[in-house]
Each structure stands twice: as C-alpha cells, then as structure tokens.
C-alpha cells in the first residue's frame, strides 16, 4: 500500500511541474535577441508576474480541488444508490465518496492544466512591451 502512495505523490509532483509557455512569433525582436535571450525574457516576465502577485499555481490547485470534489460527490451519490440496493446505505456512500475523490484527483493529474487567464495576459503584455509577439501557449 505504501508503494502506491509513493507513486501517487511522484505523479502529482511531476504533473505539478509541467506548465505551459508562450510561443513567440519570430519577428525582428525575436531574431535580434535570439532564442536564448527570448527564453530569458519569458522567465523575466514570469518573475514580474510573481512579484505583482499574479500566479498560475493557485489556478491549477483550484482545478484539482474542484475535480476531486466533483468526483467525491458523484462517487457518494453512486455509492448511496448501491448501498440502498444492498442494504448498506452509509458504508456505500462512504466508499463511493472515497473512490470518487480518488478518481477525480487522478483524473486531474492526467489532464492538461489550463493557464490562469490573468497570468497569461500579464505575460503576454510583458512580452509585447519587450517587442515580442505571442502567438499562443503550449
């Protein structure tokens, strides 16, 4: 059982490390600066966003919490129905809620996390002010 917990934690850490980045159009500024300097400018804009109190982390955490809660609610309802049929109403709901919460959490780890729109707009504007053109996020 402990090995499953360790694997779950490892997957959450790896999933939490992935984040989308802006994709820059190769305009004159990009060509003059070069890829390395452009990547440094992206990192600088991310630092500015952090200093301004705009974060992407809390947005992703909210998504995971929402999916986990939805899974728990769906699981509890399903367990309640199954428990009512089999005569174990309370235990069915508890098992269903735990199973649903786990399913919601695991589902969150395998879905592509969205970028906080405010964070994305902040980075886009910062890069635009530096002369870059953001064409999307990946």
């Amino acid at each position: 059982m402990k090995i499953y917990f360790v694997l779950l934690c490892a997957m959450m850490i790896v999933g939490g490390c992935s984040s989308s980045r802006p994709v820059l159009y190769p305009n004159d500024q990009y060509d003059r600066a070069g890829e390395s300097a452009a990547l440094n400018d992206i990192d600088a804009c991310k630092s500015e966003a952090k200093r301004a109190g705009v974060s992407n982390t809390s947005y992703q955490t909210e998504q995971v919490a929402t999916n986990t809660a939805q899974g728990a609610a769906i699981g509890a309802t399903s367990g309640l129905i199954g428990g009512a049929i089999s005569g174990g109403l309370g235990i069915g709901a508890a098992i269903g809620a735990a199973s649903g919460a786990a399913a919601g959490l695991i589902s969150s780890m395998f879905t592509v996390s969205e970028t906080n729109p405010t964070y994305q707009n902040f980075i886009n504007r910062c890069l635009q002010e530096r002369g870059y053109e953001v064409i999307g996020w990946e």
Side-chain angles (χ1 to χ4, degrees):
M1 186 66 157
K2 289 181 183 179
I3 188 70
Y4 294 118
F5 181 72
V6 171
L7 288 173
L8 179 64
C9 290
M11 288 187 332
M12 288 174 63
I13 290 168
V14 170
C17 292
S18 65
S19 68
S20 59
R21 295 182 67 88
V23 177
L24 302 176
Y25 181 78
N27 65 0
D28 290 337
Q29 171 60 26
Y30 183 87
D31 290 340
R32 276 192 306 275
E35 183 178 358
S36 179
L39 292 173
N40 287 338
D41 285 336
I42 290 171
D43 290 338
C45 287
K46 286 183 174 187
S47 294
E48 284 184 36
K50 186 176 181 180
R51 280 193 304 276
V54 180
S55 172
N56 195 35
T57 306
S58 62
Y59 186 75
Q60 292 171 348
T61 303
E62 289 172 12
Q63 286 181 309
V64 171
T66 298
N67 290 348
T68 302
Q70 285 176 340
I74 292 167
T77 303
S78 301
L80 190 64
I81 293 168
I85 293 169
S86 67
L89 198 64
I91 193 77
I95 292 170
S99 301
L105 177 63
I106 292 169
S107 172
S108 294
M109 293 185 314
F110 291 105
T111 58
V112 176
S113 59
E114 296 178 28
T115 303
N116 180 348
T118 305
Y119 177 80
Q120 192 173 6
N121 289 336
F122 190 101
I123 303 298
N124 289 350
R125 181 167 177 179
C126 176
L127 290 168
Q128 182 182 19
E129 289 177 357
R130 292 170 184 246
Y132 296 101
E133 293 177 51
V134 178
I135 58 172
W137 282 66
E138 289 184 349

